[in-house]
Amino acid sequence: MTHLRISQDSKTNLAETSMSHKDSKIIFSDDLKQILEMTPQLIWVHKSEQNYCNSAMRNYFGHPTHDLQVLDALKAIHPKDAEYIYTFWNDAKKTGLSFEKECRIKDANGLYQWFLLIAKSTKNSENQLDWFVSCTNIHNSAIALRETTEALNTNTSMLDASVDCIKVITPEGHVSHMNRSGCNALLGQDRVDKFGMEWLSLLPPEAKKEGRKAIKKAAHGKNARFAGKSTAGGKIMYWDNILTPVLNDKNQTTRILSVSRDITLQRLAEQKLRLASETDELTSLMNRRALKKRIYKTLKHAKTKDLSFAVMIIDLDHFKHINDTLGHHAGDHLLKVLSKRLLKKLPENTYISRLGGDEFAVVVENVRNLSDLSNTSKVILKQIQLPIKYKGKILSAGMSIGCSLFPKDAQDITHLLKYADTALNDLKSQGRGGFRLYDSKMMKDVHLKAQQLFTARQIIRNHNIEPFYQAKVNLETLQLVGFEALLRWKDEKGCIQFPSTIADAFNDYDLASQISEIIQTQVFQDLSTWIELGLNVVPIAINASPVEFMRDDYAELILKRLEKYKIPHKLIEVEITEHVLESRGSEYVIRALTKLKNAGIRIALDDFGTGHSSMAHLTDYPVDCLKIDYNFVHRLNKEKSVSAIVEGITKLGPILSLDVIAEGIETKEQLENLKSFGCCVGQGFLFSKAVPENLAKDMLTNNMFL
């Protein structure tokens, strides 16, 4: 469609020209009407109290004549737009000022379209206002503009609804838009009308370096992320900042979307979780994890400054006994009180951690000499020596401390802790209590122990264990009266090895119990076989290591096995060492031995005289027999004092209703002396070494020695 374009000024001039001829009887000339009729805009002219509207307006309104009244035209304006149009029109009639406004006008079909309404006035010769009003259809562009505006408003509302701080940044680093949360967080106001400030200027000083790297990376078309922290009103806030480039079809960054998320609560929760994960719940001390992190810093500082520091591992002696007798609440109370004491009394250059159970670690920084360590250890030991009461009872415990030094003993955390633990174990193996520094010689013992444990596991797995039997002989008649079953095992070359090669295995409950089960099973099988053969069997003594009583089921296990192989109880004797009865936990031992004795099994006290038990207490123990240690027998003819001890033990036995057996008899001279003391039974190389099952069976047949 071809439109005749006439400027608004031209239209006004035409109207003014027409209106300027006072004498003309024709108010609207034909030329003017022709021009107005050709104009696509809706035109309305008011002159000398007369109105004229062009065909475009008549057609739009469906008005039959060119004489359209103002009120009729105004009624076609949309109600939401009419109010301000009326206001403008009334004001314009009074002031003569022109105006223009966008509004919706209803057509003949009752449909509204958007128009740009322009009203201009001029004064005629009668000093009255003549009006020229044009309405240009802008419907499509107005709708598009409003849709765009609505979309922008919607996007802005969506951005404002977000709790994240969202900013649109130019590739050069200037802010072109920021949502409400961003304005509030960074500028302290709800909305900022004018942007353009440098984005980096909004970041706290400590975050600017990472921010500069991030925006540079985003400007080159790559995603970037960095952590930030800010302080507002004395409150620290943590932020997670993500920068995403917006690329055009040429893969060039046109804008950068920056989203900063408040992660303060998350960070605080993480800090609390980390604190909880690094703090011992019972004592509030550092745990093992936190200790290692702290030692790492100490180690780094010591290496830089060429300093020395010490790591102490502390173990509470007999702590299990407190838990067993008074309950875990008592043990917990002791740990908490001790922790508070140590925190309060330890020097400033130390820090402490609970490693778990009754084990602690103390690190002494800037150690100048060994006296520093000695003084610190005395402070630590004193805290357990002072009374700790629980429900009116004093909790009795000791303390053992092992210590290693940097850089003397080790240059890394793992070995410092390991060597301190090695020193502690060395101390505990020799009686517990006190303070011990690591020595490289200790590692030889550690390696030996590890080798023995490895060997024990291997021979158990490979079924290399078997019992050998050493004869017990009546010293007067030289007849066989019993056997002692002794552990032997064969190496890969078939050579017989002794228990001393796996000595440390007898301090490990699992290994000791497995070995004991193997020995007992084979002994009971041999006994069962001999009984079936009709041999004149004799009692057999089996040895029990102290650790086997830890689970308090030793007696039940033996009795169950005896029942399985149908072995008469009188044919079994259990040998224990003297110190077992005096050690903590001896109540388990005494209970087990009492149960066995009541079942008809004899109990022998081995190595008598080498420990610290009191003879006066022997009647309190379920013991049937005392065995004089081979060392006494070996020195019997060389030392008068030893001879007197052996004679005393031999004569004490009958007084206490106890049998006495001498071990390690190797010479006839020893035999004669023992007989003269009144000793009735003995064993040793003079009669026989320990032999395998087949030779033991031959002894049962021959039943004579010498």
Side-chain angles (χ1 to χ4, degrees):
M1 179 182 294
T2 303
H3 298 285
L4 177 62
R5 293 186 174 85
I6 301 177
S7 68
Q8 297 298 327
D9 290 340
S10 298
K11 297 172 187 176
T12 304
N13 291 336
L14 286 170
E16 290 172 349
T17 301
S18 175
M19 297 173 186
S20 65
H21 299 287
K22 297 179 181 178
D23 299 333
S24 177
K25 294 181 179 179
I26 301 174
I27 297 175
F28 299 102
S29 67
D30 291 338
D31 290 340
L32 176 59
K33 290 179 180 179
Q34 184 180 3
I35 293 173
L36 294 177
E37 293 299 322
M38 294 176 63
T39 303
Q41 285 91 348
L42 311 184
I43 304 296
W44 179 82
V45 181
H46 174 79
K47 177 178 180 290
S48 300
E49 303 301 328
Q50 293 188 32
N51 302 316
Y52 182 87
C53 64
N54 68 352
S55 59
M57 181 171 280
R58 294 195 302 272
N59 292 335
Y60 188 80
F61 287 142
H63 194 74
T65 65
H66 62 266
D67 186 13
L68 179 65
Q69 298 298 317
V70 172
L71 291 178
D72 292 335
L74 291 177
K75 289 178 181 178
I77 296 175
H78 194 284
K80 291 185 178 180
D81 304 328
E83 183 178 352
Y84 62 80
I85 294 295
Y86 284 137
T87 301
F88 278 112
W89 178 249
N90 290 330
D91 290 344
K93 287 194 299 181
K94 296 176 183 178
T95 61
L97 296 176
S98 302
F99 71 91
E100 63 179 68
K101 198 68 179 177
E102 293 181 1
C103 63
R104 286 160 288 184
I105 301 174
K106 184 168 59 175
D107 63 13
N109 297 318
L111 300 176
Y112 287 94
Q113 295 196 55
W114 282 95
F115 288 86
L116 175 63
L117 188 153
I118 301 174
K120 290 192 175 184
S121 66
T122 57
K123 285 187 178 182
N124 57 28
S125 58
E126 297 175 358
N127 203 30
Q128 293 179 341
L129 292 175
D130 292 336
W131 288 91
F132 181 89
V133 178
S134 68
C135 297
T136 305
N137 192 310
I138 59 169
H139 186 75
N140 292 335
S141 60
I143 293 298
L145 177 61
R146 278 160 176 76
E147 288 178 349
T148 302
T149 302
E150 184 179 354
L152 289 173
N153 290 336
T154 300
N155 290 337
T156 300
S157 298
M158 291 174 62
L159 293 179
D160 285 344
S162 174
V163 295
D164 295 335
C165 299
I166 302 175
K167 297 164 285 292
V168 179
I169 309 170
T170 66
E172 294 74 30
H174 295 89
V175 178
S176 61
H177 182 78
M178 189 185 305
N179 73 341
R180 181 179 288 112
S181 296
C183 294
N184 284 330
L186 296 174
L187 304 174
Q189 47 190 303
D190 184 63
R191 179 64 62 200
V192 178
D193 294 329
K194 295 182 179 180
F195 292 107
M197 73 282 287
E198 188 179 8
W199 175 68
L200 287 174
S201 67
L202 302 175
L203 300 180
E206 59 267 27
K208 286 186 177 180
K209 182 178 180 181
E210 292 300 320
R212 189 174 291 108
K213 292 180 182 178
I215 199 166
K216 184 177 180 180
K217 187 176 180 181
H220 285 83
K222 297 180 180 179
N223 293 332
R225 189 172 191 171
F226 69 99
K229 183 173 71 171
S230 64
T231 304
K235 180 182 178 182
I236 298 177
M237 299 185 70
Y238 297 91
W239 302 90
D240 181 25
N241 303 287
I242 301 175
L243 275 66
T244 305
V246 179
L247 307 176
N248 59 17
D249 54 359
K250 295 182 180 180
N251 238 16
Q252 297 172 328
T253 301
T254 59
R255 287 169 295 166
I256 299 171
L257 182 65
S258 170
V259 179
S260 299
R261 177 160 295 174
D262 181 1
I263 58 171
T264 303
L265 294 178
Q266 176 184 336
R267 183 63 61 85
L268 293 176
E270 289 174 353
Q271 289 175 354
K272 289 181 180 179
L273 184 62
R274 185 176 67 252
L275 183 63
S277 69
E278 295 181 352
T279 303
D280 177 60
E281 184 177 359
L282 179 66
T283 63
S284 298
L285 298 176
M286 288 187 292
N287 60 15
R288 184 183 292 270
R289 177 183 178 185
L291 174 71
K292 288 185 176 181
K293 291 174 66 175
R294 182 75 181 271
I295 294 181
Y296 177 79
K297 294 180 180 178
T298 299
L299 180 68
K300 188 175 180 180
H301 177 73
K303 286 182 177 180
T304 303
K305 301 295 183 179
D306 195 23
L307 299 173
S308 179
F309 70 92
V311 176
M312 295 182 179
I313 302 295
I314 302 170
D315 185 75
L316 300 185
D317 300 329
H318 316 306
F319 181 74
K320 184 179 182 300
H321 182 69
I322 293 175
N323 283 336
D324 291 342
T325 56
L326 299 177
H328 288 279
H329 291 297
D332 290 348
H333 176 73
L334 184 147
L335 294 173
K336 288 190 283 189
V337 172
L338 180 61
S339 299
K340 290 179 180 178
R341 287 181 179 179
L342 291 172
L343 278 175
K344 185 177 180 180
K345 296 296 183 179
L346 282 173
E348 292 183 357
N349 65 325
T350 63
Y351 53 89
I352 182 172
S353 164
R354 183 186 176 208
L355 301 180
D358 61 338
E359 195 171 56
F360 296 82
V362 171
V363 177
V364 185
E365 298 178 316
N366 303 331
V367 175
R368 294 168 298 178
N369 47 56
L370 293 182
S371 63
D372 286 350
L373 292 180
S374 177
N375 293 334
T376 301
S377 67
K378 289 177 182 177
V379 172
I380 295 173
L381 290 167
K382 186 176 181 180
Q383 307 317 307
I384 198 67
Q385 294 166 0
L386 296 173
I388 298 177
K389 292 184 178 180
Y390 178 74
K391 292 184 177 181
K393 295 183 179 181
I394 295 179
L395 304 179
S396 177
M399 186 183 288
S400 299
I401 306 173
C403 181
S404 64
L405 277 170
F406 171 87
K408 171 182 167 290
D409 299 324
Q411 286 75 45
D412 61 84
I413 298 172
T414 301
H415 285 90
L416 283 169
L417 290 170
K418 177 182 177 181
Y419 293 160
D421 198 52
T422 299
L424 173 65
N425 290 331
D426 185 74
L427 175 62
K428 288 165 64 177
S429 68
Q430 298 182 33
R432 299 175 179 266
F435 172 76
R436 180 153 300 174
L437 276 169
Y438 171 77
D439 188 302
S440 58
K441 295 179 181 178
M442 295 177 185
M443 286 309 298
K444 295 181 180 179
D445 295 334
V446 172
H447 291 315
L448 176 61
K449 178 179 179 179
Q451 180 58 48
Q452 289 184 350
L453 295 178
F454 173 79
T455 301
R457 294 186 183 96
Q458 192 174 40
I459 63 176
I460 291 172
R461 185 170 56 250
N462 296 336
H463 307 289
N464 296 132
I465 297 174
E466 62 178 294
F468 272 43
Y469 299 93
Q470 186 173 37
K472 293 181 181 180
V473 178
N474 184 306
L475 300 185
E476 291 293 340
T477 65
L478 299 181
Q479 290 183 326
L480 178 68
V481 294
F483 284 120
E484 179 180 0
L486 299 172
L487 181 148
R488 296 291 186 268
W489 62 276
K490 292 181 180 179
D491 61 21
E492 56 186 11
K493 296 180 180 179
C495 298
I496 300 297
Q497 301 294 333
F498 293 84
S500 58
T501 57
I502 55 170
D504 269 296
F506 301 109
N507 296 321
D508 182 285
Y509 175 82
D510 290 330
L511 291 176
S513 297
Q514 291 181 63
I515 293 171
S516 178
E517 180 180 3
I518 293 171
I519 291 294
Q520 289 179 23
T521 298
Q522 293 191 28
V523 168
F524 297 163
Q525 285 177 344
D526 290 343
L527 263 175
S528 179
T529 300
W530 296 341
I531 292 173
E532 288 180 4
L533 292 174
L535 299 178
N536 187 22
V537 296
V538 294
I540 298 179
I542 54 177
N543 291 281
S545 59
V547 73
E548 290 182 68
F549 295 89
M550 285 179 57
R551 301 285 172 86
D552 200 21
D553 60 353
Y554 180 81
E556 287 75 10
L557 289 174
I558 286 188
L559 293 174
K560 186 176 181 180
R561 290 165 190 158
L562 287 173
E563 182 180 357
K564 177 182 178 181
Y565 291 97
K566 298 180 173 53
I567 305 298
H569 293 180
K570 65 180 181 179
L571 293 179
I572 296 299
E573 186 177 273
V574 173
E575 290 190 8
I576 59 170
T577 54
E578 180 180 353
H579 74 274
V580 172
L581 297 173
E582 290 298 313
S583 64
R584 288 183 181 264
S586 60
E587 61 271 18
Y588 297 153
V589 179
I590 294 174
R591 189 202 70 81
L593 298 182
T594 301
K595 186 176 183 67
L596 292 175
K597 183 172 182 178
N598 291 338
I601 296 174
R602 285 172 54 85
I603 309 299
L605 190 60
D606 199 6
D607 300 337
F608 185 74
T610 60
H612 303 89
S613 62
S614 171
M615 291 186 181
H617 292 161
L618 283 177
T619 54
D620 299 329
Y621 300 143
V623 176
D624 299 291
C625 175
L626 300 179
K627 297 191 72 174
I628 301 174
D629 184 64
Y630 75 93
N631 187 46
F632 285 138
V633 175
H634 179 70
R635 296 159 57 192
L636 176 63
N637 299 325
K638 301 176 183 178
E639 302 176 34
K640 291 184 178 181
S641 58
V642 172
S643 178
I645 291 173
V646 173
E647 184 177 5
I649 294 173
T650 303
K651 294 183 181 211
L652 178 66
I655 297 174
L656 299 177
S657 299
L658 299 174
D659 294 334
V660 177
I661 299 176
E663 293 183 300
I665 302 174
E666 297 181 356
T667 66
K668 289 185 178 181
E669 186 179 5
Q670 293 169 350
L671 172 62
E672 294 302 322
N673 281 333
L674 288 168
K675 288 167 60 177
S676 67
F677 295 154
C679 185
C680 299
V681 181
Q683 62 188 92
F685 290 171
L686 179 63
F687 311 113
S688 172
K689 295 181 179 181
V691 297
E693 182 272 338
N694 61 323
L695 295 182
K697 185 169 60 176
D698 291 342
M699 289 183 187
L700 289 173
T701 303
N702 298 328
N703 202 13
M704 284 292 294
F705 297 89
L706 299 179

